[in-house]
Amino acid sequence: MGGAFLAAAVLARLGGRIGLPTIPLFILAGILLGPHTPGVVLVSDPHDLEMLSALGLVLLLFYLGLEFHLDDLRAGGRKMALAGGTYLALNVGAGLGFGFALGWGTSEALVLAGVLGISSSAIVTKVLVDTGRLGNAETKPILGIIVVEDIFLALYLAALQPVLSGADSLAAAVLDGGKAFGFLLLLALAARFGTRVVSRLFATRDDELLVISFLGAAVFVAGVSEWFGVADAIGAFMVGLMLGSTASGERIRTLVHPLRDAFGAIFFFAFGLSIDPGDLPVVLWPVLAAVAVTLLMNVLAGLGAARVYGFGPGPAANISTTLLARGEFALILATMAAGAGLDERLSPFIAGYVLLLAVLGPLAAGRSQWLTRVLPGGRDYAVAAPEPKTLTPPGR
């Protein structure tokens, strides 16, 4: 574990000198020091870091919930649903069509629909933090789309599991989906009506007690969420949403920063450990085609979300590039596909696709002004407003 932290830090410091984002460098550290690459093997079994990696994802999404103010969710629910639904329709639909076009099978196409359709919440959160855009106006639709994706994710996994396992019946799938949706509804009601009670429970002047309390709550609810068939990340997000509106919200944001950064780095390092570079050449052309499809769909979705919120080409470019990366959910699907005995090309395809977009996503987000110039009205926008309007971050 110590070696993983140090390796990630060294590569990130070297990359920072030439302007590279940290996410792909953390992943690269995992690839170079993992069991699939010749040379020094720091971690021979990626499962050794599984719990720490899960904690990193939970803390990244918990922090995202802290920044997503409950008033924004209540006031912009309709726009959020429209922007998120548009994003999913374009990307999941394109992923399903791409899967059928490959001819690998119906189950494989259903898996690829999720792989190509869902952004990486962890990478999106890290990109927003690294680029300093948490206070930007277009961050609201970005976070809204992530929330809609996570809700869709819970229902999608519940429906996909019986298909891949060849299980039981439609009734069982509906029951699993209902259980997941019911738990999500319960969390939403707690966030909406339980803020005053939660604020009293977490009220303390002692930073140590506050850290233990919010960390325990985030991890516990994430674990219970998984038991109900909801992604652990969305459970942590909802806890952050509740705590961000309390009197302790600002202190929690400050205290969670070092935990988020440290375990977030381990999450991306562990992601790199799971990638075998030797498998990638077999699926190179399908991976490149899938990346091209995703780029196009994200640009269209970004333009659609910007239109819903009344933004110009600059924020549209930021939305498109920030949501580009794919990550943890795709890897979950790869594991499910391998366990179900699906086409053996599926796992290396997902690894190559996710790795390429995990690198391109943060790089593109940091240079979104290039996309702005080629969008309709982009050149005029760049002259009139070189930087998108910035708002005060919620709770700040």
Side-chain angles (χ1 to χ4, degrees), residues 68-75 184-198 238-243 245-246:
F68 195 91
H69 203 268
L70 196 57
D71 291 339
D72 296 333
L73 187 61
R74 288 198 294 263
L184 282 173
L185 183 61
L186 181 64
L187 290 177
L189 290 173
R192 173 66 180 86
F193 300 107
T195 304
R196 186 172 298 178
V197 174
V198 172
M238 296 302 290
V239 174
L241 192 64
M242 283 183 257
L243 294 182
S245 302
T246 66

Side-chain angles (χ1 to χ4, degrees), residues 89-103 109-110 112-113 116 293:
L90 287 169
N91 284 275
V92 174
L96 185 62
F98 182 82
F100 282 122
L102 284 179
L110 290 172
L112 288 173
L116 271 66
V293 169

Side-chain angles (χ1 to χ4, degrees), residues 21-246:
T22 58
I23 294 169
L25 294 168
F26 292 154
I27 295 171
L28 179 61
I31 294 173
L32 294 177
L33 298 173
H36 306 297
T37 305
V40 177
V41 177
L42 188 64
V43 182
S44 57
D45 184 359
H47 293 293
D48 288 345
L49 293 181
E50 190 171 10
M51 182 59 72
L52 294 176
S53 173
L55 182 57
L57 178 60
V58 163
L59 288 171
L60 282 166
L61 269 294
F62 172 71
Y63 181 79
L64 189 63
L66 290 172
E67 291 290 352
F68 195 91
H69 203 268
L70 196 57
D71 291 339
D72 296 333
L73 187 61
R74 288 198 294 263
R78 186 174 180 179
K79 289 182 177 180
M80 182 184 76
L82 183 56
T86 301
Y87 187 91
L88 285 171
L90 287 169
N91 284 275
V92 174
L96 185 62
F98 182 82
F100 282 122
L102 284 179
W104 291 355
T106 301
S107 296
E108 287 80 0
L110 290 172
V111 170
L112 288 173
V115 171
L116 271 66
I118 306 293
S119 306
S120 167
S121 300
I123 296 179
V124 169
T125 307
K126 192 70 165 60
V127 166
L128 290 172
V129 172
D130 288 351
T131 56
R133 292 179 185 162
L134 281 171
N136 282 18
E138 70 272 11
T139 297
K140 282 186 182 180
I142 290 172
L143 299 185
I145 290 170
I146 288 295
V147 172
V148 172
E149 283 186 326
D150 282 336
I151 294 172
F152 170 80
L153 166 61
L155 303 177
Y156 175 78
L157 282 178
L160 186 64
Q161 183 63 50
V163 175
L164 294 185
S165 61
D168 298 329
S169 62
L170 180 62
V174 171
L175 180 62
D176 288 342
K179 185 173 69 171
F181 185 77
F183 185 69
L184 282 173
L185 183 61
L186 181 64
L187 290 177
L189 290 173
R192 173 66 180 86
F193 300 107
T195 304
R196 186 172 298 178
V197 174
V198 172
S199 184
R200 290 176 181 172
L201 290 173
F202 282 81
T204 176
R205 295 182 179 180
D206 190 318
D207 285 349
E208 180 184 12
L209 290 178
L210 185 58
V211 169
I212 294 170
S213 299
F214 75 68
L215 185 60
V219 175
F220 180 76
V221 174
V224 173
S225 298
E226 207 167 54
W227 188 76
F228 276 96
V230 177
D232 51 5
I234 191 62
F237 175 88
M238 296 302 290
V239 174
L241 192 64
M242 283 183 257
L243 294 182
S245 302
T246 66

